[in-house]
Amino acid sequence: MTSVIFDLDGTLINTTGDIATAVNETRAHLGLEALSDEVIGAAVGRGASALLKSTLPAQAYEERTEELRGVF
């Protein structure tokens, strides 16, 4: 069995816009304003949990982690 793994966060295709859309939909769910693609792009690269922690208010993320991951 052969496996192939691709890192698509900018390596082969630029997915920053899609990731930014998902983050901003999560922020909207909390009644927060959208962040720019550039701000979100700077937070990409350490996994979804780290991305959400760095782009959402800490208290909201800690209290509603599963809900917000589902929205994301």
Side-chain angles (χ1 to χ4, degrees):
M1 179 177 201
T2 301
S3 298
V4 178
I5 299 174
F6 290 101
D7 176 7
L8 296 177
D9 292 337
T11 304
L12 298 177
I13 59 173
N14 184 355
T15 58
T16 304
D18 297 324
I19 293 169
T21 297
V23 167
N24 283 326
E25 287 181 9
T26 307
R27 289 180 59 81
H29 180 75
L30 293 171
L32 301 170
E33 293 184 20
L35 298 174
S36 69
D37 287 6
E38 292 77 22
V39 168
I40 295 170
V44 170
R46 296 170 307 197
S49 292
L51 174 63
L52 292 175
K53 284 181 186 179
S54 65
T55 57
L56 299 174
Q59 183 176 358
Y61 183 74
E62 289 173 14
E63 293 174 356
R64 299 165 67 178
T65 301
E66 292 305 314
E67 172 191 352
L68 295 173
R69 283 182 184 171
V71 173
F72 175 70

